[in-house]
Amino acid sequence: MLLCGSMGFAQMHDSAPQTGQAPGQTPGQNPSMDPQMNGNQAGQPSPVDRMFVGKAMQGGLAEVQLGQLTLQKSNNPQVKEFAQRMIDDHTKLNQQMKPVAQQLGVTVPDQISKNDRKTIAKLQALSGSAYDQAYIKDMVKDHKQDLSEFQMEASSGQDQTVKDAANQGSKVIAQHLQMAQQLAKDQNVPAAGQ
């Protein structure tokens, strides 16, 4: 949910320019070099890094909204505790990502993605244990995908600040995935805990 389309994301990494230089330009001769761009020697932020930051923040908003919905809809203390952790951690992650977004010129998102809106609408129609199971399943699936994408950015990103943020975020997301998988096991959610 945080970052959709990891295959397209990987393909963009493969085709992204590596140097940021115009043809015929020698290294170190980039007139658009901005000294504010800490860690990015190419001068202009990578489109892949920019996309990662925007989608990560948008996904963080979705995690918070889903957590808030879960606090309203669930009667299960374990599920509610997990939802509160998602609210707290993703709010903090988004706060930490804001200066990175500003540095790259990425507009801080104020709305969740269309896919995340669909997920929330689907969950709003459920109640009781059906809600809890659907939420837990979504959290396991989502955090598996997010972990992969954060790790990819941490190892393959071009801007060091973004790579560092992705590395830090991947540690939190790995914890979330373990928690979601344990919750799935504890709540007997079929096919979610693998």
Side-chain angles (χ1 to χ4, degrees):
M1 177 180 316
L2 286 182
L3 299 170
C4 299
S6 60
M7 290 304 293
F9 191 75
Q11 289 167 351
M12 283 186 69
H13 263 291
D14 293 339
S15 63
Q18 297 300 309
T19 64
Q21 292 173 206
Q25 194 175 37
T26 59
Q29 222 186 6
N30 191 339
S32 64
M33 185 75 142
D34 181 355
Q36 302 280 328
M37 293 294 172
N38 299 335
N40 185 353
Q41 298 306 310
Q44 291 297 318
S46 156
V48 175
D49 291 344
R50 289 172 52 92
M51 183 177 81
F52 170 81
V53 170
K55 287 195 170 207
M57 293 186 75
Q58 192 172 47
L61 288 176
E63 294 289 356
V64 170
Q65 286 185 24
L66 276 169
Q68 290 167 339
L69 179 64
T70 301
L71 291 180
Q72 294 170 13
K73 300 216 33 124
S74 180
N75 294 320
N76 184 316
Q78 208 178 359
V79 174
K80 289 177 100 154
E81 183 180 336
F82 177 81
Q84 186 62 56
R85 177 76 182 264
M86 295 304 100
I87 293 168
D88 296 343
D89 287 357
H90 284 282
T91 298
K92 185 177 177 183
L93 281 171
N94 268 12
Q95 288 300 318
Q96 292 170 343
M97 194 71 83
K98 271 185 184 176
V100 177
Q102 290 167 345
Q103 175 181 318
L104 297 181
V106 174
T107 302
V108 174
D110 59 1
Q111 291 186 14
I112 63 174
S113 74
K114 190 175 181 180
N115 281 343
D116 291 340
R117 285 195 297 273
K118 286 180 186 177
T119 299
I120 288 175
K122 180 184 80 172
L123 287 172
Q124 281 177 324
L126 302 174
S127 60
S129 65
Y131 176 89
D132 292 342
Q133 291 206 1
Y135 173 69
I136 294 166
K137 236 182 206 183
D138 184 70
M139 289 294 97
V140 171
K141 177 183 167 201
D142 178 48
H143 283 87
K144 281 181 182 178
Q145 182 178 348
D146 294 341
L147 182 59
S148 170
E149 292 173 357
F150 269 71
Q151 288 173 336
M152 183 190 311
E153 178 65 21
S155 65
S156 304
Q158 294 180 17
D159 185 283
Q160 191 59 49
T161 306
V162 179
K163 289 174 71 164
D164 292 345
N167 187 47
Q168 285 298 107
S170 69
K171 293 174 185 173
V172 175
I173 291 168
Q175 290 175 349
H176 290 175
L177 177 57
Q178 287 181 330
M179 291 168 61
Q181 288 171 325
Q182 185 61 51
L183 187 59
K185 187 177 176 184
D186 293 349
Q187 300 298 318
N188 297 313
V189 176
Q194 285 92 41

